[in-house]
Amino acid sequence: MTVVPVRETLVQVDGVTAAYGGLSAVTEASLRIGDGEAVGLIGHNGAGKTTLMNVVFGLHRPVSGTVTYRGQTSERRDATDSIKGGMAMVPADQFVFPTLTVRENLQIARSNADSADADWAEERSKELFPVVFDRLGQHAGSLSGGERRMLSVAMALMWRPKLMILDEPSLGLAPALAERVFDALRELSDADGVSVLCVEQSVAHLLRLVDRVYVMRSGRIVDEFTADALRARDEYWDLF
Ligand code: ATP
């Protein structure tokens, strides 16, 4: 039997309801991310995953409910506060500057970061994503989808985040490349204690990374599984 360690709470989401105008997208969602824990959020298109992720990051103000991060519950935390507090976000698209070179993208990311953190990030990224550093002079727009995703993770690491939030990292990637991205994220979580909130549709990829998974349906969190419980299943389609 696997013993699941009890971790201190890094993020606590309590009863969050979020909407676009009058249309509800998330209803009374609650979740917890432990310090150093990797947590997944799965569900069909339109289930509310991205909206909930944006609420956690401070990009979307909820109608009601609270997000507590590192012990602080703030009604007014925005994305800038989140970044300063050690969160990093890798969105599903538009995550690099395509007309700039890989080197320039990395320079922009490190320009606002503490130089010791950025040095750590570059060293770590070279180990995890060497292919990106073989292409420093190449325009980011000419990278493959997987290479772009790796570059965007490398850029997000520049602030040495406590929590990385990722929206569908496998989107558009060949399975082998997606596996490399998920394995690298797992290594960051294991070796560097980076906590992760990962929105994803591919349960198989997600299970390379996460310790626990929440299932969203029609704006609500309807289920929660440990990764081991999910691995014991033959199929995943009935989860959603
Ligand atoms: P997907 O996997 O397709 O990205 P999701 O689970 O991330 O879906 P959300 O993107 O959070 O779901 O969308 C939840 C609901 O909110 C959907 O009904 C969607 O149409 C709606 N929605 C999302 N963004 C907006 C927006 N900017 N304006 C209006 N409605 C929106």
Side-chain angles (χ1 to χ4, degrees):
M1 190 179 81
T2 312
V3 178
V4 180
V6 178
R7 304 171 193 260
E8 271 185 48
T9 298
L10 183 71
V11 178
Q12 181 72 53
V13 174
D14 275 317
V16 159
T17 292
Y20 297 94
L23 289 176
S24 177
V26 174
T27 308
E28 293 185 4
S30 299
L31 63 80
R32 173 187 175 279
I33 305 170
D35 197 8
E37 189 180 30
V39 169
L41 197 53
I42 60 172
H44 275 311
N45 291 117
K49 308 179 295 293
T50 302
T51 305
L52 183 56
M53 187 193 80
N54 285 339
V55 168
V56 172
F57 192 60
L59 278 174
H60 189 107
R61 182 81 46 88
V63 176
S64 58
T66 57
V67 177
T68 303
Y69 174 61
R70 298 177 96 167
Q72 290 205 315
T73 307
S74 170
E75 301 278 311
R76 301 197 154 270
R77 188 170 47 78
D78 61 19
T80 308
D81 299 325
S82 296
I83 291 167
K84 285 182 182 158
M87 286 193 205
M89 156 91 87
V90 181
D93 50 15
Q94 303 293 331
F95 41 86
V96 297
F97 300 101
T99 57
L100 302 182
T101 65
V102 170
R103 181 181 288 107
E104 288 164 340
N105 271 274
L106 290 167
Q107 280 166 350
I108 287 174
R110 74 172 288 151
S111 62
N112 287 318
D114 175 273
S115 62
D117 290 346
D119 288 347
W120 167 85
E122 282 205 18
E123 282 313 303
R124 211 65 186 91
S125 299
K126 275 181 196 162
E127 290 162 5
L128 295 170
F129 311 119
V131 66
V132 168
F133 290 82
D134 293 339
R135 287 165 166 63
L136 288 173
Q138 196 171 318
H139 282 135
S142 67
L143 295 175
S144 74
E147 291 161 355
R148 266 205 306 280
R149 197 60 49 94
M150 292 176 195
L151 173 59
S152 66
V153 174
M155 289 167 73
L157 283 180
M158 290 291 183
W159 290 274
R160 198 165 188 166
K162 275 299 288 161
L163 173 68
M164 282 197 82
I165 300 178
L166 302 113
D167 197 2
E168 302 211 29
S170 78
L171 198 70
L173 302 195
L177 268 180
E179 285 176 8
R180 273 171 59 191
V181 171
F182 278 85
D183 289 349
L185 292 167
R186 179 75 216 187
E187 201 184 318
L188 278 169
S189 178
D190 280 348
D192 300 290
V194 177
S195 305
V196 175
L197 175 60
C198 183
V199 167
E200 182 55 57
Q201 298 240 5
S202 163
V203 179
H205 287 319
L206 199 58
L207 285 177
R208 300 182 84 89
L209 165 64
V210 299
D211 303 296
R212 262 180 328 112
V213 171
Y214 291 96
V215 183
M216 281 192 91
R217 199 179 300 138
S218 305
R220 293 181 184 272
I221 290 183
V222 293
D223 243 324
E224 178 191 343
F225 297 93
T226 63
D228 283 343
L230 280 189
R231 279 190 203 100
R233 285 174 161 244
D234 296 328
E235 295 179 314
Y236 304 128
W237 62 269
D238 55 332
L239 287 174
F240 290 62

